[in-house]
Amino acid sequence: MNRIIKFSLLLFFFLGGIQAFGQPAVKINNGIIVLDDNFVVYREKNYLKTIDSLDKVLKNNPKDTSALFYRALFYTRSNDILAKPYQVDPKALAELTIAKTFVERALTLSMQDFKLKVLRAEIFAGLCYRYSGDESWKFKPLEITARKKSFIEYKTKANQYYEELAKVDPHNAYDYERRLVKYDYPIK
């Protein structure tokens, strides 16, 4: 009987230890959230199982704030300037919009993690980037007006969020101030 209890406890701690490593390590570096995996560029293939697991968790429990954060992070990393440099990539814009929705939902559900707020600012800055490559020949006047409105809205919010981060985290204020969106909408 004693061996069964010891084995059960050992198995419990072993499986509990595996679960603890289920979430990828992240850190704030130069004002952005980075995956602490020793790669400069995000490699989606390394995280396919984690992404699949997060999608399942969110399907079963859409209020899981940790899953919302990590899924938004993976959407952001797979659609940032390094992963998809073409500014008018419709898939990148759509997935960054999903990331924005996930972050806002996590904030609505009272998630207090500082990294979530950094990710939110980064997502809004990424959305600005997706509107910064507008070529006038590609869009009709009504589309240009709608895109300019979205750009201004995202720029305002991104800068507001970065300024808030600089106040809350004064030791890294320089990093957040460098990330402010300073360019304007390209079509006049």
Side-chain angles (χ1 to χ4, degrees):
M1 182 69 173
N2 203 8
R3 285 185 174 183
I4 294 173
I5 294 173
K6 287 181 182 178
F7 179 73
S8 298
L9 285 174
L10 183 62
L11 185 63
F12 173 75
F13 287 120
F14 177 72
L15 291 176
I18 289 174
Q19 261 187 337
F21 293 111
Q23 295 178 342
V26 296
K27 63 182 179 179
I28 300 172
N29 190 7
N30 294 324
I32 62 171
I33 300 289
V34 294
L35 293 161
D36 197 9
D37 62 359
N38 297 323
F39 290 110
V40 176
V41 178
Y42 170 71
R43 298 170 186 247
E44 188 170 13
K45 66 180 181 177
N46 294 353
Y47 295 101
L48 290 177
K49 289 180 182 178
T50 304
I51 290 169
D52 186 48
S53 175
L54 288 168
D55 288 340
K56 288 177 184 175
V57 168
L58 288 172
K59 186 175 182 180
N60 293 330
N61 182 10
K63 293 184 178 184
D64 186 326
T65 55
S66 291
L68 287 167
F69 169 76
Y70 283 104
R71 192 60 184 107
L73 175 64
F74 286 122
Y75 273 128
T76 305
R77 283 297 133 254
S78 63
N79 294 290
D80 66 7
I81 190 171
L82 292 173
K84 294 182 182 159
Y86 179 53
Q87 294 151 315
V88 192
D89 185 336
K91 183 179 177 191
L93 179 61
E95 289 186 355
L96 281 173
T97 304
I98 294 169
K100 175 183 76 81
T101 303
F102 283 179
V103 165
E104 289 174 339
R105 188 180 311 155
L107 287 165
T108 303
L109 293 168
S110 301
M111 185 174 182
Q112 298 296 318
D113 194 342
F114 181 72
K115 292 174 188 157
L116 179 69
K117 294 177 181 174
V118 174
L119 183 61
R120 175 180 61 176
E122 186 179 344
I123 290 169
F124 277 87
L127 286 165
C128 284
Y129 175 74
R130 293 295 157 196
Y131 286 104
S132 69
D134 287 358
E135 293 92 6
S136 59
W137 58 269
K138 235 179 196 180
F139 301 104
K140 297 176 182 166
L142 288 176
E143 291 174 313
I144 291 172
T145 304
R147 289 179 66 85
K148 182 176 183 177
K149 181 180 177 188
S150 295
F151 173 86
I152 292 169
E153 178 184 330
Y154 292 140
K155 178 181 177 179
T156 303
K157 287 186 178 182
N159 288 343
Q160 172 191 342
Y161 296 147
Y162 277 127
E163 288 168 0
E164 289 173 8
L165 291 170
K167 289 177 187 173
V168 173
D169 186 14
H171 295 300
N172 296 308
Y174 175 74
D175 291 330
Y176 302 125
E177 289 169 3
R178 277 184 333 144
R179 302 240 168 246
L180 291 171
V181 179
K182 297 177 182 165
Y183 51 88
D184 292 321
Y185 187 72
I187 302 174
K188 303 295 177 195

